């Protein structure tokens, strides 16, 4: 999945949405498609957290900020929402309704989210009525489990806390089209929602799973008449009954459970790494990659043997070198040199994938500010060179939930991600992967 970023962040959960989507990785092997973040269509007052233009259709992602984190959110589309068994309340509203439950207004922030998504669906179907449209209502600051009624799950709307795996599962909510959307269809939808995000050529869109547009006899395809009803592949968003409920809950209140706050922090550390970020005006420069080959000795650092997978060196920072706020910092301040390396090692009989980056700045003061930003949760990371260059021999690590560490040496900041192979029945102890990450800080990247 390619990601196109715009500044708008309509909700507080927008950062979690961005982190989850950027961690999906580019190419059509996982999800594919193009994710546009912070969508504000021209000549409209609409604004939404993200729109996912996928080979199987389009998802409109609307963020909803809950008053507090929750272990369980009961979220029917058209009835009252409850967090851990307690009805949601609006900011400034007394939760007990003065002792009279009937006097307490029903709160369902999903209604306004559905209405907003419906406006986007109307725009998309005005461009091409055959494109299936689904909705993701992404809730935060943290929800362990979202419960939707079976009848709601039969439709194209999913309510979730934004993680990469949750988004992957949500894509199944769209009915499979007879064939993937074509590159022409994808570009038409992108042009309407975000005109500056349409510089992706056919080869790029095809790599994301879109079908090549078949040439006709020389005449462009005729769009369906305005009165033509949507085809069987179109999905109508369930209409929401009138409700005074507002979309976003912005009440500042203490966390109900310390454990929930800890869980929220843990999930925010989800690392967005495997994506090539697309700029509307800047194309990524080709990476110079050194692959490991048979006979290349492993590198032993601190008693940990590392096998090189790929390396890259650049004399300036480009958009594809990082994601999130880390990317923005590098583009704003520049760098003298950026080195990246990918490695593997074994811990407790399990393969550990390691991604290392080293950024050198003009002076130590800028490096210190960068290290402070990079060490924070949910701020983005340097992208993995082996993923970018397609050099992982087996499964591509997502680095979601990876052990992460940073270190500054003068004007150079190093970052390390270490993740146990996917599908491992047992994972090494945290101190083992931490030892790998600490050792990787001293790996040679040239």
């Amino acid at each position: 999945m390619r990601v196109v970023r715009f500044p708008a962040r309509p909700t507080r959960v927008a950062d979690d949405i961005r982190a989850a989507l950027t961690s999906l990785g580019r190419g059509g092997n996982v999800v594919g498609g193009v994710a546009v973040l912070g969508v504000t269509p021209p000549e409209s007052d609409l604004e939404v957290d993200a729109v996912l233009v996928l080979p199987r259709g389009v998802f409109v992602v609307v963020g909803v900020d809950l008053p507090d984190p929750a272990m369980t959110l009961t979220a029917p589309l058209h009835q009252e929402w409850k967090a851990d068994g307690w009805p949601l309340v609006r900011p400034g509203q007394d939760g007990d309704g003065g002792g009279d439950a009937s006097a307490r207004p029903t709160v369902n922030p999903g209604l306004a989210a559905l209405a907003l998504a419906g406006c986007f669906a109307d725009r998309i179907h005005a461009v091409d009525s055959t494109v299936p449209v689904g909705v993701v209502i992404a809730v935060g600051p943290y929800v362990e489990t979202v419960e939707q009624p079976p009848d709601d799950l039969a439709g194209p709307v999913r309510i979730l806390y934004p993680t990469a795996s949750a988004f992957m599962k949500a894509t199944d909510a769209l009915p499979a089209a007879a064939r993937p959307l074509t590159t022409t269809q994808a570009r038409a939808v992108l042009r309407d929602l975000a005109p500056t995000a349409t510089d992706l050529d056919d080869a790029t869109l095809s790599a994301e799973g879109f079908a090549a547009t078949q040439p006709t006899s020389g005449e462009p395809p005729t769009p369906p008449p305005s009165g033509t009803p949507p085809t069987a592949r179109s999905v109508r968003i369930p209409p929401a009954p009138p409700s005074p409920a507002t979309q976003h809950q912005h009440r500042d209140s203490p966390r109900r459970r310390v454990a929930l706050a800890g869980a929220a922090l843990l999930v925010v550390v989800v690392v967005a790494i495997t994506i090539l970020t697309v700029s509307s005006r800047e194309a990524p420069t080709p990476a110079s990659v050194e692959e490991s080959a048979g006979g290349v000795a492993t590198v032993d650092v601190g008693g940990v043997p590392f096998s090189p997978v790929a390396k890259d060196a650049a004399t300036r920072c480009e958009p594809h070198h990082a994601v999130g706020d880390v990317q923005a910092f590098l583009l704003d301040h520049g760098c003298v040199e950026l080195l990246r390396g990918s490695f593997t090692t074994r811990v407790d009989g399990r393969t550990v994938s390691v991604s290392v980056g080293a950024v050198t700045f003009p002076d130590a003061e800028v490096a210190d500010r960068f290290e402070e930003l990079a060490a924070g949760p949910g701020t983005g990371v340097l992208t993995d060179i082996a993923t970018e260059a397609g050099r992982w021999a087996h499964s591509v690590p997502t680095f979601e939930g990876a052990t992460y560490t940073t270190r500054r040496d003068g004007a150079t900041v190093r970052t390390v991600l270490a993740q146990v192979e996917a599908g491992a029945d047992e994972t090494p102890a945290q101190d083992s992967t931490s030892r790998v990450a600490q050792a990787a800080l001293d790996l040679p990247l040239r």
Side-chain angles (χ1 to χ4, degrees), residues 58-148:
V58 177
F59 262 114
V60 181
V61 182
V62 186
V64 167
D65 294 320
L66 302 176
D68 296 288
M71 293 301 295
T72 301
L73 176 68
T74 304
L77 290 181
H78 302 306
Q79 297 178 18
E80 184 176 59
W81 284 17
K82 295 182 179 180
D84 297 326
W86 293 89
L88 293 183
V89 295
R90 296 195 187 94
Q93 175 188 321
D94 185 355
D96 61 12
D100 182 2
S102 62
R104 174 177 45 79
T106 297
V107 175
N108 181 340
L111 296 177
L114 281 174
L116 176 59
C119 294
F120 276 84
D122 290 342
R123 289 187 68 107
I124 294 165
H125 283 150
V127 173
D128 188 338
S129 65
T130 69
V131 174
V133 178
V135 180
V136 169
I137 299 176
V139 296
Y142 174 76
V143 176
E144 176 70 23
T145 302
V146 177
E147 296 179 344
Q148 283 187 260

Side-chain angles (χ1 to χ4, degrees), residues 31-310:
V31 175
V34 178
V36 185
L37 309 181
V39 182
T40 54
E43 300 179 0
S44 79
D45 58 356
L46 299 176
E47 187 177 66
V48 75
D49 292 270
V51 173
L52 314 183
V53 183
L54 309 178
R56 65 186 300 158
V58 177
F59 262 114
V60 181
V61 182
V62 186
V64 167
D65 294 320
L66 302 176
D68 296 288
M71 293 301 295
T72 301
L73 176 68
T74 304
L77 290 181
H78 302 306
Q79 297 178 18
E80 184 176 59
W81 284 17
K82 295 182 179 180
D84 297 326
W86 293 89
L88 293 183
V89 295
R90 296 195 187 94
Q93 175 188 321
D94 185 355
D96 61 12
D100 182 2
S102 62
R104 174 177 45 79
T106 297
V107 175
N108 181 340
L111 296 177
L114 281 174
L116 176 59
C119 294
F120 276 84
D122 290 342
R123 289 187 68 107
I124 294 165
H125 283 150
V127 173
D128 188 338
S129 65
T130 69
V131 174
V133 178
V135 180
V136 169
I137 299 176
V139 296
Y142 174 76
V143 176
E144 176 70 23
T145 302
V146 177
E147 296 179 344
Q148 283 187 260
D151 289 347
D152 291 351
L153 290 174
V157 180
R158 291 294 180 270
I159 303 171
L160 52 83
Y161 174 75
T163 65
S165 58
F167 273 114
M168 289 175 60
K169 186 176 180 181
T171 60
D172 293 334
L174 277 179
R179 66 190 301 269
L181 298 187
T182 66
T183 56
T184 298
Q185 287 177 299
R187 195 174 289 109
V189 172
L190 290 170
R191 184 179 298 112
D192 179 70
L193 299 178
T196 58
T198 57
D199 62 341
L200 304 176
D201 58 23
D202 283 355
T204 299
L205 292 175
S206 295
E208 295 298 333
F210 295 103
T213 302
Q214 298 298 323
T216 63
S217 58
E219 298 181 357
T222 302
S226 59
T228 303
T231 68
R233 288 185 290 163
S234 296
V235 177
R236 294 188 61 82
I237 298 172
S243 170
T246 57
Q247 174 185 351
H248 308 305
Q249 305 291 332
H250 291 287
R251 183 180 66 172
D252 292 325
S253 60
R255 299 289 186 258
R256 293 196 298 252
R257 296 180 178 84
V258 173
L260 288 175
L265 177 60
L266 176 63
V267 176
V268 169
V269 177
V270 166
V271 189
I273 176 68
T274 61
I275 188 70
L276 172 66
T277 303
V278 178
S279 169
S280 62
R281 291 181 174 84
E282 298 180 76
T285 56
S288 174
V289 179
E290 302 172 13
E291 292 185 80
S292 63
V296 175
T298 59
V299 181
D300 191 289
V301 180
V304 180
F306 293 91
S307 298
V309 178

